[in-house]
Amino acid sequence: MSGRRVLIGIGGGIAAYKVCEVISTLAKSGVEVRAILTDAACQFITPLTVATLSRHPAYTDEDFWQPHKRPLHIELGEWAEVFVIAPLTANTLGKLAYGLADNLLTNTVLASTCPVLLAPAMNTDMWEQLSVQRNWQQLLTDKRYHSVGPGAGLLACDRVGAGRMAEPAEILPTIASLLHAKGKRDLAGKRVLISAGGTREHLDPVRFIGNPSTGKMGLALAQAALHRGAGVTLVRAPAAWDVPLGVQAISVTSAKEMEQEMRSHFSNADVIIMSAAVADVKPAEYSAEKLPKRLLPTNLPLEPVPDIVAELATLKKPHQKLIGFAAQTGDIVTPALEKLHKKKLDAIVANPIDKPDSGFGSDNNQAIFLDKQGHKVEIEPCSKLQMAHYLFDFIISY
């Protein structure tokens, strides 16, 4: 992200306070951030706040009408790699839908060619007005425009409903995806099925055999696929994160449940990625009631669980691509290649879990991609979202 260029347009709404976190996080990660505030936005947050967080002067309409070496809206429009408008108000939405430009923000939109990310925010009744929805749908027919939110919840007006601006945790990954893919929707029309997280094989209602997987890699894959235009179904074992808006999520606990859901949705998928850390064995017997400590077995009989990825491979049609993961220590390539060929996968991700800041629970990862044609791509340490994009690049390329 270091050195990338993001322009933030801030509209007049109470949700403008959320944009401060977006700007701060981007700046701390090395992104060059410039910001434009409308006159209405200045009623909610100050240019000084935005300038301090972005480490660069913030622009207002007053700056628009000052002399510059080149017109300010032209300069900013050409500079930006991604243009984010948050909060997007009903007023600005209407102007953009009809190509109107009467302030610095809207003039800069028309003077730019980069992807534009829209994060609407307004009262539920305002959002649901026929005219607003017409403008929204009309604007999204332009491939330049991408959206995040709005969500539903308690609004600042005390109304509970749709119109809540997306949280920074949703906006930031979308920005990163737009920077990587340059706004391309190269997975549009594709269905992507992803498994995520670590399954749990219960001995009784409170004890289970599990693993440290948090499902963050699966989440990143779902985000990347969604941002690139795919329809996404995510089968996830217990995880602490929220599912992105627009992703069909199915919660499971055990390997058997995951197998059932993956098989159920398999035929509709074009790309299937098994990133879940699925158990290899389970207790041979299950107690429906919590076992007293004195009755816990000293030797726990185990039995194997279904090999989900191997079973899916037997169902695979020629147009489908099935990708597996191999979390390994030490030599990661040899066992990954063995798994690739034995289980008849199209590709596999070999990732080390014994490297610093990599693997289970980490926000970052590193890997070697291998496919059945013999292609090999080594991915240096990066965020899991970046890794997800690299994997889709690999899948599309071969």
Side-chain angles (χ1 to χ4, degrees):
M1 295 284 281
S2 182
R4 306 305 295 268
R5 304 183 306 277
V6 176
L7 179 61
I8 310 284
I10 306 172
I14 186 60
Y17 80 91
K18 293 183 183 179
V19 183
C20 294
E21 182 178 343
V22 174
I23 294 171
S24 177
T25 303
L26 289 172
K28 288 176 181 176
S29 66
V31 174
E32 292 183 36
V33 183
R34 305 288 183 267
I36 298 170
L37 291 86
T38 64
D39 286 343
C42 295
Q43 302 300 313
F44 293 93
I45 58 175
T46 69
L48 177 59
T49 298
V50 174
T52 303
L53 295 174
S54 66
R55 283 74 164 171
H56 192 276
Y59 300 107
T60 67
D61 281 352
E62 184 177 346
D63 298 299
F64 187 31
W65 303 113
Q66 300 301 315
H68 298 273
K69 186 176 181 180
R70 295 185 72 212
L72 183 58
H73 62 296
I74 305 295
E75 195 76 44
L76 290 172
E78 292 178 351
W79 174 86
E81 291 183 84
V82 168
F83 196 164
V84 182
I85 303 179
L88 174 70
T89 63
N91 186 46
T92 299
L93 169 59
K95 293 176 185 178
L96 296 181
Y98 287 93
L100 303 179
D102 64 351
N103 59 13
L104 177 57
L105 174 58
T106 51
N107 272 275
T108 306
V109 171
L110 296 188
S112 64
T113 58
C114 65
V116 180
L117 178 62
L118 306 171
M122 62 194 78
N123 165 269
T124 303
D125 290 329
M126 296 173 67
W127 174 247
E128 293 178 349
Q129 288 292 326
L130 181 61
S131 57
V132 172
Q133 286 301 306
R134 182 181 62 241
N135 289 342
W136 179 242
Q137 295 304 322
Q138 177 178 320
L139 194 57
L140 292 183
T141 61
D142 186 334
K143 293 183 179 180
R144 275 194 71 199
Y145 293 99
H146 302 255
S147 64
V148 55
L154 178 63
L155 308 181
C157 59
D158 291 327
R159 176 71 184 271
V160 176
R164 182 183 178 89
M165 194 178 95
E167 300 299 321
E170 298 172 85
I171 296 173
L172 287 161
T174 312
I175 294 171
S177 291
L178 290 174
L179 286 169
H180 179 92
K182 297 180 173 60
K184 291 184 298 184
R185 294 182 175 91
D186 50 6
L187 293 177
K190 301 293 185 182
R191 292 291 314 176
V192 178
L193 175 62
I194 300 165
S195 71
T199 61
R200 298 177 178 181
E201 308 304 324
H202 278 265
L203 172 63
D204 64 20
V206 299
R207 301 181 181 94
F208 60 85
I209 298 174
N211 59 68
S213 175
T214 58
K216 289 182 179 180
M217 191 66 236
L219 168 63
L221 287 163
Q223 291 172 323
L226 181 70
H227 299 159
R228 292 169 76 151
V232 182
T233 299
L234 179 64
V235 179
R236 67 168 191 166
W241 35 263
D242 294 329
V243 176
L245 288 172
V247 171
Q248 178 188 7
I250 301 160
S251 295
V252 298
T253 299
S254 67
K256 182 178 180 180
E257 293 170 346
M258 182 168 283
E259 176 201 24
Q260 292 172 341
E261 294 297 341
M262 292 297 290
R263 288 176 69 99
S264 174
H265 293 86
F266 185 83
S267 62
N268 293 325
D270 299 290
V271 178
I272 304 93
I273 305 178
M274 280 292 301
S275 69
V278 182
D280 297 304
V281 294
K282 67 177 183 177
E285 296 182 1
Y286 172 74
S287 171
E289 297 182 354
K290 180 184 176 183
L291 293 170
K293 188 174 181 179
R294 58 184 172 80
L295 294 182
L296 289 175
T298 55
N299 294 301
L300 184 63
L302 301 173
E303 62 183 35
V305 301
D307 189 335
I308 301 175
V309 72
E311 291 190 12
L312 295 180
T314 66
L315 305 174
K316 192 170 77 69
K317 299 295 190 294
H319 75 279
Q320 294 177 306
K321 289 188 176 182
L322 178 59
I323 291 87
F325 268 67
Q328 300 287 346
T329 58
D331 173 18
I332 65 173
V333 173
T334 303
L337 282 172
E338 181 181 348
K339 183 176 180 179
L340 170 71
H341 297 297
K342 180 179 179 181
K343 300 191 178 183
K344 297 180 172 60
L345 305 178
D346 293 292
I348 195 163
V349 179
N351 66 298
I353 56 173
D354 55 353
K355 301 289 185 183
D357 197 23
S358 178
F360 294 140
S362 172
D363 291 329
N364 300 310
N365 211 346
Q366 55 185 297
I368 297 174
F369 300 159
L370 306 158
D371 72 8
K372 63 182 182 181
Q373 285 82 30
H375 299 112
K376 177 181 177 181
V377 174
E378 187 167 351
I379 306 299
E380 297 297 325
C382 61
S383 72
K384 286 185 173 176
L385 180 60
Q386 194 71 47
M387 176 77 74
H389 280 294
Y390 286 140
L391 179 57
F392 284 116
D393 293 342
F394 184 75
I395 293 169
I396 291 169
S397 298
Y398 301 113

